[in-house]
Amino acid sequence: LGGPGSGWPSSAGSGCGAAMDVFGDLRRMNKRQLYYQVLNFAMIVSSALMIWKGLIVVTGSESPIVVVLSGSMEPAFHRGDLLFLTNFHDDPIRAGEIVVFKVEGRDIPIVHRVIKVHEKGNGNIKFLTKGDNNEVDDRGLYKEGQNWLEKKDVVGRARGFLPYVGMVTIIMNDYPKFKYALLAVMGAYVLLKRES
């Protein structure tokens, strides 16, 4: 209906037209090209997973990279900062260190500073945390009846950071539709990208 010389307005500039172009490209690909692009996409995903698993082994942390989601650690870290973690069990936990820990009943790990360490004679360590920007310690965040954290609660210790690089993650958490749109665009780009 649309197009040059037809008298009808062309829809190529609209979002619908762009989507139709993507499906048109997919239809024009032969099966061999499509399989090649799908395998290419699978290799990218598996490479990313291998890199992630490698980082877990090297750093000793189940989450070697995390994003700061709140302002509780300002001015040390701001919302959207990307933290690099290690979690070597032989390293003793000391007051002043910034740790990332999980609390039973909460899905998202918390990034706060160790303010007190309680060492027992048998070598067991218990410690208390607090956000730099918070008025009180974290006992209100721990599970009911828990007053101290233990080493098993630690996901990692902050070793470095990149400011505001994680804002994309925050935007994707706040606006799930944006996340799915971004994933769809990335998937379409990889599938339709042709070797030159």
Side-chain angles (χ1 to χ4, degrees), residues 97-101 110-114 127 129 154 156-158:
E97 264 191 305
I98 296 170
V99 296
V100 178
F101 60 92
I110 300 167
V111 181
H112 281 174
R113 191 180 301 276
V114 176
F127 58 94
T129 55
V154 175
R157 304 175 207 196

Side-chain angles (χ1 to χ4, degrees), residues 63-81:
S63 293
I65 300 171
V66 296
V67 175
V68 178
L69 298 177
S70 75
S72 65
M73 276 302 293
E74 291 178 3
F77 299 125
H78 294 85
R79 195 167 188 252
D81 288 354

Side-chain angles (χ1 to χ4, degrees), residues 10 16-17 20 38-39 45 73 78 82 95 115 136 143 174 189:
S10 173
C16 182
M20 295 306 282
V38 169
L39 281 173
V45 171
M73 276 302 293
H78 294 85
L82 194 71
I115 57 168
V136 295
K143 72 176 181 179
D174 291 349
Y189 172 76

Side-chain angles (χ1 to χ4, degrees), residues 54-68:
L55 282 172
I56 289 172
V57 170
V58 169
T59 63
S61 173
E62 65 187 68
S63 293
I65 300 171
V66 296
V67 175
V68 178

Side-chain angles (χ1 to χ4, degrees), residues 122-173:
N122 61 3
N124 283 350
I125 294 175
K126 294 190 175 189
F127 58 94
L128 181 64
T129 55
K130 175 185 170 295
D132 290 358
N133 201 23
N134 292 350
E135 297 293 323
V136 295
D137 62 45
D138 291 342
R139 285 187 175 133
L141 298 175
Y142 304 159
K143 72 176 181 179
E144 195 175 334
Q146 182 179 8
N147 292 320
W148 299 86
L149 291 175
E150 297 177 28
K151 267 193 160 183
K152 66 178 176 58
D153 301 312
V154 175
V155 173
R157 304 175 207 196
R159 300 299 185 198
F161 77 102
L162 287 173
Y164 303 112
V165 173
M167 284 307 287
V168 174
T169 302
I170 291 175
I171 292 167
M172 288 196 299
N173 281 342

